[in-house]
Amino acid sequence: MIEMASKDKSSKKNVFELKTRQGTELLIQSDNDTVINDWFKVLSTTINNQTVETDEAIEEETPDSPGIEKQDKEKDHKDPRKLRSMKVSSIDSSEQKKNKKNLKKFLTRRPTLQAVREKGYIKDQVFGANLANLCQRENDTVPKFVKLCIEYVEEYGLDVDGIYRVSGNLAVIQKLRFAVNHDEKLNLNDSKWEDIHVITGALKMFFRELPEPLFTFNHFNDFVNAIKQEPRQRVTAVKDLIKQLPKPNQDTMQILFRHLKRVIENGEKNRMTYQSIAIVFGPTLLKPEKETGNIAVHTVYQNQIVELILLEINSIFGR
């Protein structure tokens, strides 16, 4: 099957998608309109020819009943499939062979996935990406989108009532998500994103869509056990566990929690407290791989861990 590629497949112009019977999917693109149109015509013709050949093979394998042979011949001129076969048979066979040869040559020389990515035809996602892989791609230990959102909120949103607690327009948040994922030049000062709650909503969505939460799955029970300890031992236990996390998790966690601490410090204006921030971010940043037991109890521990880190941020991350 061949068709023009949708925008979620590629943001470049003149891109069409080719799907084979075996399930292979290819994106084909050229900035030259003539070239891409020629390819599209050749591939379409070849696919149509292959479809007809398959139809004819099926017809040949199906035995006819002697009693209806005469009726079939009379109906041939009315059968659209027969008419299509007759039309295609008029095409020069050498042209068909040439088309097939060109298509085969193209498919055997198709570039690797990595080469396609390097040329910009396929964009790696930001939302839903593995944190370590995303940071490696960006050559940093904290995702650029996270830093961009935090900088914007600290400049324009620290005194906004209910910051992070109030939900933004989901449709606009999804548009922002799309823009980030498709590597569009993102300017948060654009009027499209003028609602600060859209920015905070997108940041929360980014953490929510991580395939593994910021506090990784394999440490969930350890963090829960740490918060159950005596108050004087909790900080040390949590601090030691954070040091065991991958570097991108540690650095992203530190920049996020220091930002949330500044949000709380402006609580007289935005009415956000340690508890309210913990309620918003607890279940997003810290969750078990599989929910077992009492979810309500888990939620309490999740919130308590986030609140403890915010309260003891200098002891855990240093000044």
Side-chain angles (χ1 to χ4, degrees):
M1 184 183 77
I2 186 171
E3 61 185 4
M4 297 308 296
S6 57
K7 287 293 184 183
D8 63 329
K9 294 289 178 65
S10 175
S11 57
K12 290 183 174 290
K13 71 170 187 175
N14 294 342
V15 183
F16 61 81
E17 183 178 11
L18 179 67
K19 296 181 182 178
T20 70
R21 287 178 181 146
Q22 290 74 27
T24 303
E25 296 184 13
L26 303 167
L27 293 181
I28 301 173
Q29 190 269 349
S30 174
D31 292 330
N32 188 309
D33 293 343
T34 303
V35 170
I36 200 68
N37 286 334
D38 287 345
W39 270 106
F40 194 89
K41 289 176 183 176
V42 168
L43 290 169
S44 298
T45 301
T46 305
I47 290 170
N48 288 336
N49 292 348
Q50 292 284 350
T51 303
V52 171
E53 289 174 6
T54 303
D55 291 343
E56 290 174 344
I58 293 172
E59 289 173 6
E60 290 173 3
E61 292 172 4
T62 306
D64 292 329
S65 172
I68 62 171
E69 184 177 351
K70 184 177 179 181
Q71 296 177 22
D72 286 345
K73 289 181 180 179
E74 292 174 353
K75 293 179 181 178
D76 277 354
H77 69 285
K78 297 180 180 179
D79 189 338
R81 188 168 59 183
K82 297 282 187 180
L83 289 173
R84 184 176 63 177
S85 298
M86 293 169 63
K87 182 178 180 180
V88 172
S89 64
S90 65
I91 299 176
D92 186 0
S93 60
S94 62
E95 184 67 23
Q96 294 180 26
K97 291 178 181 179
K98 182 181 177 181
N99 291 344
K100 290 179 184 178
K101 184 178 179 181
N102 287 338
L103 179 57
K104 184 177 180 181
K105 184 178 179 181
F106 171 78
L107 293 176
T108 54
R109 293 178 58 189
R110 68 183 184 272
T112 63
L113 182 61
Q114 181 61 31
V116 172
R117 282 199 176 107
E118 289 174 356
K119 290 183 178 180
Y121 299 137
I122 296 179
K123 299 296 182 184
D124 288 303
Q125 303 290 287
V126 173
F127 281 74
N130 175 276
L131 184 63
N133 294 342
L134 176 60
C135 289
Q136 184 178 18
R137 256 177 20 226
E138 297 181 348
N139 196 28
D140 204 343
T141 55
V142 179
K144 291 178 183 177
F145 178 68
V146 172
K147 291 193 287 188
L148 196 64
C149 289
I150 287 175
E151 290 168 3
Y152 187 88
V153 173
E154 295 203 352
E155 185 172 356
Y156 300 106
L158 290 180
D159 59 350
V160 174
D161 185 32
I163 192 72
Y164 285 113
R165 176 177 52 79
V166 176
S167 299
N169 185 306
L170 183 57
V172 183
I173 292 173
Q174 289 289 5
K175 288 181 181 179
L176 177 55
R177 178 181 182 275
F178 181 89
V180 173
N181 272 345
H182 289 77
D183 201 30
E184 296 180 11
K185 291 182 179 180
L186 187 63
N187 178 14
L188 294 183
N189 289 304
D190 192 303
S191 59
K192 291 186 292 187
W193 326 121
E194 62 183 357
D195 181 5
I196 191 72
H197 300 301
V198 167
I199 309 299
T200 56
L203 183 60
K204 289 186 291 183
M205 180 180 285
F206 171 84
F207 285 110
R208 192 163 56 246
E209 291 191 1
L210 286 174
E212 186 164 21
L214 199 58
F215 294 75
T216 56
F217 288 133
N218 60 325
H219 283 93
F220 176 78
N221 290 328
D222 296 328
F223 277 106
V224 170
N225 291 332
I227 204 68
K228 291 179 180 178
Q229 295 183 24
E230 293 295 322
R232 287 179 294 181
Q233 299 174 335
R234 291 175 185 171
V235 176
T236 302
V238 169
K239 182 178 179 179
D240 291 342
L241 287 171
I242 290 175
K243 288 181 178 179
Q244 296 176 31
L245 295 173
K247 181 67 171 171
N249 295 63
Q250 291 185 45
D251 290 356
T252 303
M253 189 180 297
Q254 180 171 176
I255 194 174
L256 175 64
F257 274 85
R258 289 194 184 281
H259 165 63
L260 296 177
K261 178 77 170 181
R262 286 188 283 273
V263 170
I264 294 167
E265 289 170 350
N266 286 269
E268 289 186 5
K269 296 178 180 178
N270 59 43
R271 295 195 297 171
M272 294 301 289
T273 64
Y274 287 100
Q275 188 176 19
S276 57
I277 287 289
I279 289 172
V280 170
F281 280 92
T284 298
L285 302 178
L286 184 75
K287 54 190 174 185
E289 189 166 9
K290 293 182 180 178
E291 283 290 354
T292 56
N294 194 326
I295 297 177
V297 172
H298 278 173
T299 302
V300 171
Y301 291 138
Q302 290 161 335
N303 297 351
Q304 287 179 350
I305 293 165
V306 170
E307 188 172 351
L308 175 70
I309 296 174
L310 288 168
L311 287 166
E312 302 292 342
I313 193 163
N314 290 329
S315 299
I316 292 173
F317 294 114
R319 293 186 178 275

